[in-house]
């Protein structure tokens, strides 16, 4: 299964805090440095599940840039479309994780927001040869639009995980087959509330009316809500002892894409992705927490 992933690559600085700090408070806590970024995370999770992954992104010319490229290569990911921004520090995320496993993330985008349409055009043949394209929103709208247009013209299916939905171009929704938001992203994209399953159904239909035929709303431990040509269904999640939810959405998106690309039907793919993401939540870190294909 050939997957083309466009998105961010970051260094993640994860701090395990006793509670989310209030203004003026200094906490002393354990710390972990790892590889992250929603795009790179999804590429790594998909590769660990056996997909042939090509990643398109941008890193800085500091010491972290080559370290990220090396890490992607170690995971078996094709990196010829990972470029380097001269004079910029690699994207960085500070992640605070509390004892319940919930997190707060702040990021410095760095080179991620310097990815251009030209960078993407170089990757046109890899996009056309993919079975699926998977995209997130930590890179600018223009190169993303370019990828989606190349994919659409070639009949390649596209999945957008609209995270984070900042400065979102609604034009993108017309180019994608499937949109994969969480509850807060669904609210941001539609302006509808998305607390109860009934509210999520209404909001998902409003999102579907903007373009994508299929919508999957990830609901954390509640599972996922599916809306497609067969109707809608709430697929329950798995209760696990959460250690760190960082990257769980990326783990879900990637495993769902791999399952769909290898022929599972949509609901089966959601169940499988639920189980893979649940494993990731039981482990610390982002990419460090992603399981291999033989774990389930
Ligand atoms: O989804 C988790 C990711 O968001 C982290 O790895 C961090 O780098 C941010 O991009």
């Amino acid at each position: 299964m050939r997957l083309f992933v466009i998105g961010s690559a970051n260094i993640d600085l994860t701090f395990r805090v006793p509670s989310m700090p209030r203004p003026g408070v200094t906490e002393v806590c354990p710390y972990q440095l790892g590889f992250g970024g929603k795009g790179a995370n999804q590429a790594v999770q998909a590769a660990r599940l056996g997909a042939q992954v090509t990643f398109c992104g941008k890193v800085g010319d500091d010491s972290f840039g080559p370290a990220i490229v090396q890490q992607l290569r170690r995971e078996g990911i094709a990196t010829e479309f990972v470029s380097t921004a001269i004079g910029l520090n690699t994207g960085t995320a500070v992640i605070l994780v509390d004892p319940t496993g919930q997190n707060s993330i702040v990021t410095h985008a760095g080179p991620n927001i310097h990815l251009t349409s030209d960078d993407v055009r170089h990757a046109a043949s890899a996009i056309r040869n993919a079975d699926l394209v998977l995209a997130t929103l930590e890179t600018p709208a223009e190169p993303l639009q370019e990828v989606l247009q190349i994919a659409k013209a070639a009949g390649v299916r596209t999945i957008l995980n609209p995270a984070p939905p900042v400065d979102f171009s609604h034009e993108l929704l017309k180019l994608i087959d499937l949109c994969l938001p969480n509850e807060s992203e669904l609210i941001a994209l539609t302006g509808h509330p998305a607390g109860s399953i009934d509210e999520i159904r209404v909001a998902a239909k409003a999102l579907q009316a903007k373009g994508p035929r299929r919508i999957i709303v990830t609901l954390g431990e509640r599972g996922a809500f599916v809306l497609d040509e067969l109707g809608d269904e709430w697929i329950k999640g798995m209760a696990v002892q959460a250690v760190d939810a960082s990257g769980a959405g990326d783990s879900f998106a990637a495993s769902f894409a791999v399952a769909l690309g290898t022929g599972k039907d949509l609901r089966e793919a959601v169940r499988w992705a639920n189980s893979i993401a649940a494993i990731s939540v039981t482990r610390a870190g982002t990419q460090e927490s992603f399981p291999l294909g033989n774990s389930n």
Side-chain angles (χ1 to χ4, degrees):
M1 187 265 167
R2 286 157 309 187
L3 183 69
F4 184 90
V5 180
I6 173 172
S8 58
N10 290 338
I11 288 295
D12 285 353
L13 314 177
T14 301
F15 297 85
R16 299 201 68 86
V17 292
S19 61
M20 288 300 167
R22 287 173 288 106
V25 169
T26 302
E27 298 282 7
V28 177
C29 52
Y31 156 82
Q32 186 178 357
L33 186 137
F35 295 102
K38 294 182 195 305
N41 290 347
Q42 295 183 4
V44 166
Q45 177 65 95
R48 286 190 191 168
L49 297 174
Q52 244 179 278
V53 182
T54 300
F55 178 63
C56 178
K58 214 177 254 300
V59 295
D61 66 353
D62 52 3
S63 58
F64 288 134
I68 287 178
V69 175
Q70 261 178 34
Q71 162 66 4
L72 292 168
R73 287 192 185 139
R74 269 198 297 270
E75 298 282 349
I77 295 165
T79 58
E80 63 259 47
F81 307 113
V82 180
S83 49
T84 300
I86 303 303
L88 291 181
N89 287 322
T90 295
T92 308
V94 172
I95 305 181
L96 306 184
V97 180
D98 76 10
T100 70
Q102 294 309 307
N103 63 49
S104 292
I105 304 181
V106 288
T107 64
H108 160 69
N112 293 308
I113 52 166
H114 291 270
L115 193 70
T116 65
S117 298
D118 264 355
D119 292 324
V120 160
R121 276 183 218 115
H122 291 132
S125 66
I127 299 167
R128 290 193 197 103
N129 285 329
D131 295 306
L132 259 171
V133 165
L134 180 58
T136 44
L137 295 178
E138 285 183 324
T139 48
E142 295 74 29
L144 180 51
Q145 187 151 348
E146 186 77 29
V147 169
L148 297 175
Q149 273 162 349
I150 295 169
K152 198 176 170 74
V156 176
R157 286 180 292 172
T158 52
I159 300 176
L160 175 66
N161 173 214
V166 181
D167 295 332
F168 183 71
S169 157
H170 281 257
E171 285 305 301
L172 295 175
L173 292 174
K174 299 194 181 112
L175 292 169
I176 56 170
D177 297 307
L178 192 148
C179 192
L180 183 58
N182 65 16
E183 294 116 305
S184 64
E185 291 149 8
L186 182 62
I187 295 169
L189 295 183
T190 64
H192 286 275
S196 68
I197 295 297
D198 285 340
E199 287 176 341
I200 288 165
R201 181 177 298 108
V202 172
K205 285 186 176 159
L207 183 56
Q208 191 184 42
K210 291 173 189 275
R213 280 183 308 123
R214 297 163 148 195
I215 311 290
I216 294 168
V217 187
T218 54
L219 306 171
E221 61 186 17
R222 285 196 292 168
F225 182 85
V226 172
L227 174 64
D228 67 357
E229 49 282 0
L230 300 177
D232 63 68
E233 186 176 345
W234 173 21
I235 297 177
K236 301 268 172 62
M238 299 168 66
V240 290
Q241 188 69 45
V243 171
D244 183 352
S246 313
D250 302 327
S251 173
F252 183 98
S255 40
F256 170 75
V258 172
L260 206 62
T262 47
K264 284 196 165 66
D265 80 31
L266 187 122
R267 285 159 176 74
E268 234 185 306
V270 167
R271 283 190 196 92
W272 193 62
N274 266 343
S275 66
I276 298 288
I279 295 170
S280 83
V281 167
T282 63
R283 302 173 180 171
T286 40
Q287 290 179 22
E288 299 92 317
S289 72
F290 295 164
L292 290 162
N294 56 10
S295 314
N296 61 324

